[in-house]
Amino acid sequence: MSVAVFTGGNTVTGVLREAANAQPDSIFLDFQGNLFTYGETLNAAQRLAAGLIVLGVEPGDRVVSVLDNNFQAVVAWFGINLAGAVSVPVNTAYKGEFLRHQIADAGARIVIAEEDYAARVAAVAVDLPALTVLVHRGAAPADTPNSLDVESLENVMGPQAGHPLPDLTPSDLAMLIYTSGTTGPSKGCMISHGYACNLARQAIMCGDRRPDDIYWSALPLFHMNATATGLLSTAMLGGRSVVYPRFSLSGFWPDILRSGATSIGLLGSMHPLIAEAPDSEESKKCFGQIRVVGAAPFPKDLQDKWRTRFGVEIMGAGGYGLTEAAMVTTGPLATRLDPNSSGPIAEDFDVIIADDDGDPVAHGQAGEVLIRPKRSNVMFSGYWNRPADTLKAIKDLWFHSGDIGKFGSNGEFYFVDRKKDYLRRRGENISSFEMEATFQNHPDIMDVAVHAVFSDMGEDDVKVTCVLREGADLTEQALCLWAIDRVPYFAVPRYIEFRDDLPRNPTGKVLKYRLREDGCTPQTWDREKHHVALARR
């Protein structure tokens, strides 16, 4: 079983320092052939840390980043942490209220953003009184409020000296990762250095990661899956990470061949799309090159196809977990008793399956997944600035996940369903609360519910069911086009249906489970059938 080479005192920054000091000239990062060594990465991160300190960043401050999959996004994470600050990576598809809420909630004084995203930040800056500095990569936004200082990332990362960097401990916060906000505004999960490092170690163990592996991922660097299980686990092994800008079916095999990738991380519908795609010269040349593929869900018939077509040895879902606690169930993929399971309980956690009163159900029955840690810094430290929400989630010393699961007779865990009312599309969590708040701003909409309908790709499709105001002449296509400019691309609804009313319980609450059960009715408008194109921005 593979083990971490560089543990870094159980801190994110310590891992990078150890790896860079031991092998400064070894390649750490590969961005489509642009290579960066461990020494170069540490040097750039230290320069950014010093620059942030010059801008007034102190230990514990939150610094937001809105960056694409590039070297600067990696440097931002490590640099913010080296300054003793907390990294708050924000989804690059966010705009308007989605973006403003997370910057405001984090209380960030500084935002680092790509050229296009910096303009989005500037557009909401008047409603962000705590924000004082916008650091841009690329050109500066054309229109910014006078209250906002604008600096280029290149200047902030200039040569800096005389600014000692703070010592960090495993319990210090490394990141705020925001949840989807399904029952209210999205909440920031406090992720400690120790938690991130533990998740990285789990990824090494589960995927049989080795120092000579080349790990490939197109997952966005604002996800913990990409940072902790991808980059940090690679650094612990002193290996190489290949970071692709975003998943592309046509670009997948050419980059696998170019990079020599042996271990890859995928999400959602990526692996079935690859398995069903026609052979190419690149895919044929790569037969047997990939040793491990991690993705969820990864049923046995799909694993058989990857093994037969591509010569992959080890495949499967790493385990069950969520931002608040990961990985709760796991174990080496190669020893998984059932490829459809998420493995046994991880050694760091206690888990029970409970009824609505919090009492354990009989073995084999489904119920809510309740979790508690066996040691410190292996799960989240609570919701940022939301003690009441933290106490609500942790009752009787158990974290109530809001997910439904069960254990089989083999002792392995099986995810059953989501108890919380949220959606997931192409690997992205979508806040129904924030989506509904957006659609309620349309002058022709009186009431709205945003909910999931089943997709044959194994994930959710987004449906908007709404009630129009009397006399409105709004069409479904017009509403879809209106939404494209106001919600992230992955949240633009595929389905829209107008109704006279929404199903409700006696207290007036909308019964979304009824809407999910209804699915696509004869009155449902389908964006794909009407060929409405989306841009991935």
Side-chain angles (χ1 to χ4, degrees):
M1 183 182 298
S2 301
V3 294
V5 177
F6 305 111
T7 57
N10 211 26
T11 65
V12 169
T13 49
V15 169
L16 178 61
R17 280 188 172 121
E18 274 192 17
N21 290 335
Q23 48 185 58
D25 298 324
S26 295
I27 299 299
F28 176 28
L29 301 167
D30 177 344
F31 292 90
Q32 295 182 283
N34 295 314
L35 307 179
F36 299 90
T37 66
Y38 279 91
E40 289 171 330
T41 305
L42 177 61
N43 178 268
Q46 288 174 330
R47 286 190 289 114
L48 177 58
L52 291 174
I53 291 172
V54 169
L55 291 176
V57 169
E58 297 181 353
D61 284 354
R62 283 75 54 209
V63 178
V64 165
S65 62
V66 197
L67 296 166
D68 291 323
N69 273 17
N70 51 43
F71 180 60
Q72 287 75 15
V74 179
V75 169
W77 176 32
F78 287 119
I80 292 166
N81 281 176
L82 281 167
V86 182
S87 172
V88 188
V90 170
N91 193 315
T92 56
Y94 279 8
K95 62 184 79 169
E97 179 58 21
F98 285 78
L99 177 63
R100 188 211 64 81
H101 165 70
Q102 293 193 2
I103 298 173
D105 190 76
R109 196 172 58 81
I110 296 177
V111 172
I112 305 171
E114 304 281 354
E115 179 179 334
D116 291 347
Y117 313 143
R120 297 181 193 173
V121 175
V124 296
V126 293
D127 295 317
L128 294 167
L131 181 64
T132 58
V133 181
L134 175 58
V135 179
H136 58 91
R137 177 176 180 262
D143 188 18
T144 58
N146 294 331
S147 60
L148 200 59
D149 291 332
V150 179
E151 301 279 354
S152 73
L153 181 58
E154 183 179 12
N155 288 342
V156 173
M157 290 181 61
Q160 306 286 344
H163 297 283
L165 303 180
D167 293 327
L168 299 172
T169 69
S171 60
D172 287 323
L173 293 186
M175 294 181 278
L176 295 185
I177 300 294
Y178 275 81
T179 67
S180 58
T182 56
T183 56
S186 51
K187 302 184 288 290
C189 290
M190 296 189 284
I191 309 299
S192 67
H193 282 260
Y195 178 9
C197 288
N198 193 62
L199 181 55
R201 282 190 293 269
Q202 288 180 316
I204 292 171
M205 175 273 296
C206 181
D208 189 30
R209 299 272 298 277
R210 302 171 184 175
D212 60 351
D213 270 330
I214 298 176
Y215 182 80
W216 187 97
S217 173
L219 306 183
L221 291 173
F222 50 76
H223 279 182
M224 229 173 33
N225 200 340
T227 51
T229 65
L231 295 178
L232 192 58
S233 59
T234 296
M236 283 183 166
L237 293 169
R240 180 183 301 196
S241 266
V242 182
V243 182
Y244 201 64
R246 58 166 59 95
F247 178 72
S248 161
L249 186 58
S250 62
F252 176 76
W253 285 115
D255 205 59
I256 295 299
L257 179 62
R258 178 203 63 79
S259 64
T262 58
S263 177
I264 63 175
L266 301 173
L267 274 184
S269 59
M270 296 177 186
H271 51 304
L273 287 173
I274 296 168
E276 297 299 330
D279 285 332
S280 66
E281 288 303 313
E282 292 89 353
S283 68
K284 293 175 183 177
K285 290 178 181 178
C286 288
F287 184 88
Q289 175 183 313
I290 300 173
R291 192 173 60 85
V292 181
V293 178
F298 214 138
K300 184 180 184 304
D301 59 342
L302 193 56
Q303 292 192 24
D304 292 341
K305 188 168 291 187
W306 272 79
R307 188 174 291 109
T308 302
R309 288 195 65 194
F310 310 131
V312 177
E313 296 178 27
I314 303 171
M315 293 150 286
Y320 164 75
L322 58 168
T323 307
E324 289 88 343
M327 301 295 293
V328 177
T329 71
T330 187
L333 293 174
T335 63
R336 206 58 65 79
L337 298 174
D338 181 351
N340 295 313
S341 82
S342 297
I345 300 174
E347 62 181 10
D348 296 317
F349 295 96
D350 283 326
V351 177
I352 62 171
I353 307 298
D355 59 22
D356 289 341
D357 295 322
D359 296 321
V361 301
H363 187 82
Q365 289 188 5
E368 185 174 8
V369 183
L370 273 53
I371 305 159
R372 66 184 179 192
K374 290 183 177 179
R375 59 187 183 90
S376 62
N377 299 315
V378 295
M379 61 183 289
F380 85 138
S381 305
Y383 296 113
W384 174 254
N385 273 348
R386 296 177 184 270
D389 287 326
T390 303
L391 290 174
K392 185 178 179 181
I394 302 175
K395 295 175 284 189
D396 299 324
L397 302 182
W398 288 95
F399 172 71
H400 290 239
S401 71
D403 289 336
I404 305 298
K406 65 180 181 180
F407 283 100
S409 57
N410 57 14
E412 295 189 336
F413 176 82
Y414 295 82
F415 178 81
V416 175
D417 203 351
R418 302 178 178 99
K419 188 175 181 180
K420 297 176 181 177
D421 185 20
Y422 79 103
L423 305 85
R424 189 169 177 84
R425 178 64 177 157
R426 299 291 168 90
E428 300 286 354
N429 288 334
I430 300 170
S431 166
S432 62
F433 178 91
E434 291 171 352
M435 286 284 285
E436 287 163 2
T438 296
F439 280 91
Q440 283 168 347
N441 285 328
H442 194 289
D444 289 339
I445 290 179
M446 184 170 66
D447 205 356
V448 62
V450 177
H451 56 95
V453 295
F454 175 75
S455 166
D456 56 12
M457 296 301 293
E459 294 180 304
D460 299 330
D461 274 317
V462 179
K463 182 177 179 181
V464 171
T465 303
C466 51
V467 179
L468 298 182
R469 298 188 185 279
E470 186 175 355
D473 58 0
L474 181 69
T475 66
E476 293 91 342
Q477 182 155 325
L479 180 59
C480 182
L481 293 173
W482 178 89
I484 288 174
D485 292 330
R486 291 166 173 81
V487 304
Y489 69 87
F490 57 79
V492 174
R494 174 175 175 179
Y495 301 112
I496 296 175
E497 182 174 341
F498 296 154
R499 293 192 179 190
D500 293 333
D501 199 2
L502 302 176
R504 304 175 187 276
N505 67 9
T507 64
K509 182 178 180 180
V510 174
L511 300 175
K512 289 192 179 180
Y513 77 90
R514 292 265 301 275
L515 294 172
R516 288 193 294 267
E517 289 173 354
D518 289 346
C520 294
T521 72
Q523 291 74 42
T524 300
W525 179 88
D526 185 347
R527 167 170 51 81
E528 294 189 359
K529 289 183 179 179
H530 286 78
H531 308 293
V532 177
L534 299 181
R536 295 179 62 87
R537 287 264 173 168

